Amino acid sequence: MTAPFRFPRFFVTNPSPCPYLPGRSERKVFTELSGDNASELNDALGRIGFRRSQNVAYRPSCTDCTACVSVRVVTQQFQPNATQRKLLRRNEDLVISACKPWSTEEQFALLQRYLNARHAGGGMTEMDEMDFADMVEQTPVDTQIVEYREPGVDGRVGKLVGACLTDRQGDGLSMIYSFFDTQLPHRPGLGNFIIMDHILRAAAAGLPYVYLGYWVKGSARMQYKVRYQPLEKLGRDGWTRFDPVEGDAALSEAPASSSSPRQVELATILRK
């Protein structure tokens, strides 16, 4: 006889400054992922716009703003354009490994270089090795950290140039957080390559979607997500196709954000 299913308890954070849109505040609703049903709950919540951070699932719950929109790529219909095909060819020599969610010093060093280059002054730059280990290893669901390495020489393991913490859900891959070496002139666009690799990886596994998190209306930093078509967005009527023209129009209506990236670790959520 199986244990009865316990309906999750949801909590709401106090308002705090929005990390994407200046002058606005954000709130999040969240619940704990634990027990034998953690994967099923994470899958169900993922389909209605929740994201995972360690053993917490969360989504925006702002009272006066709906700028954050969940988006996902339809993997089986994705056709890379000419620029994307060139990027795939440029990085086809990378050695890609889906590893168990164990943090390493090499991964942490790469993350630090990435944050200092792309998000200097952001909240995640304060992470130490223990914080990073918690981010990677505290997971109640099927999680991998996908590593991207340059080819090795003389039998030695090649240099780590990218990584992505990734959940496998029932209907797709959810990219939790990716980071990469920004100082490689021969490998521009590594972040875009990591996304495309996940799309192709999911399609090969028969998974229909890759979840990219939130596209934020009015934030230029989030515009890159509309490059991966066909894209779906979550709205009141469920998941519908996302029109890139709509994204361009939205950007002309509001100023771009220069705020630091969202940090949604468990400790951050519970402090609010």
Side-chain angles (χ1 to χ4, degrees):
M1 182 176 178
T2 59
F5 177 76
R6 181 175 64 85
F7 191 80
R9 297 176 63 192
F10 291 88
F11 306 89
V12 179
T13 65
N14 292 324
S16 62
C18 176
Y20 290 123
L21 302 176
R24 300 192 190 183
S25 61
E26 70 161 0
R27 281 191 330 176
K28 291 187 284 286
V29 58
F30 68 95
T31 189
E32 182 182 11
L33 298 170
S34 62
D36 295 336
N37 296 305
S39 292
E40 290 82 355
L41 178 59
N42 188 54
D43 282 1
L45 293 176
R47 288 191 287 271
I48 58 172
F50 279 73
R51 298 281 287 167
R52 184 187 69 83
S53 176
Q54 298 180 35
N55 63 341
V56 162
Y58 70 93
R59 66 169 295 171
S61 181
C62 305
T63 57
D64 57 351
C65 180
T66 57
C68 292
V69 179
S70 296
V71 292
R72 66 187 186 185
V73 183
V74 182
T75 63
Q76 300 292 342
Q77 299 177 34
F78 173 74
Q79 294 292 332
N81 59 32
T83 300
Q84 291 168 336
R85 290 195 298 270
K86 181 178 179 180
L87 185 61
L88 288 169
R89 290 193 298 270
R90 180 187 297 136
N91 293 286
E92 63 184 0
D93 63 324
L94 289 178
V95 179
I96 306 172
S97 303
C99 308
K100 292 182 179 180
W102 293 104
S103 62
T104 67
E105 293 181 3
E106 189 179 22
Q107 292 167 3
F108 180 62
L110 177 61
L111 174 68
Q112 286 184 307
R113 295 197 302 273
Y114 169 77
L115 292 174
N116 288 332
R118 290 292 179 89
H119 304 294
M124 290 187 69
T125 58
E126 300 175 4
M127 292 177 64
D128 59 22
E129 288 188 72
M130 289 298 295
D131 295 327
F132 176 67
D134 288 342
M135 184 178 86
V136 173
E137 298 173 13
Q138 287 192 17
T139 172
V141 301
D142 185 359
T143 301
Q144 297 175 324
I145 186 158
V146 183
E147 292 188 340
Y148 299 82
R149 295 182 178 275
E150 294 197 318
V153 178
D154 297 331
R156 291 175 293 181
V157 176
K159 176 184 176 182
L160 181 69
V161 297
C164 184
L165 186 64
T166 304
D167 287 350
R168 176 164 178 155
Q169 299 178 179
D171 63 350
L173 298 179
S174 178
M175 298 180 68
I176 303 300
Y177 195 80
S178 62
F179 50 98
F180 49 90
D181 194 329
T182 64
Q183 305 299 317
L184 298 177
H186 62 293
R187 294 193 188 276
L190 258 180
N192 293 318
F193 172 77
I194 291 173
I195 293 175
M196 281 193 293
D197 175 68
H198 275 69
I199 296 170
L200 299 175
R201 181 181 297 271
L207 297 172
Y209 305 112
V210 167
Y211 288 84
L212 296 182
Y214 302 111
W215 172 83
V216 183
K217 182 177 180 180
S219 174
R221 289 194 290 118
M222 292 297 154
Q223 182 66 3
Y224 72 91
K225 296 185 180 183
V226 303
R227 299 173 188 163
Y228 307 98
Q229 294 293 327
L231 194 69
E232 294 184 345
K233 65 177 182 178
L234 181 61
R236 293 182 178 180
D237 298 324
W239 291 95
T240 58
R241 289 296 170 95
F242 185 95
D243 184 355
V245 176
E246 177 185 344
D248 293 337
L251 284 174
S252 66
E253 295 170 3
S257 169
S258 59
S259 303
S260 59
R262 180 190 303 263
Q263 184 179 8
V264 290
E265 300 169 30
L266 175 60
T268 304
I269 292 174
L270 296 182
R271 281 202 299 268
K272 295 181 178 179

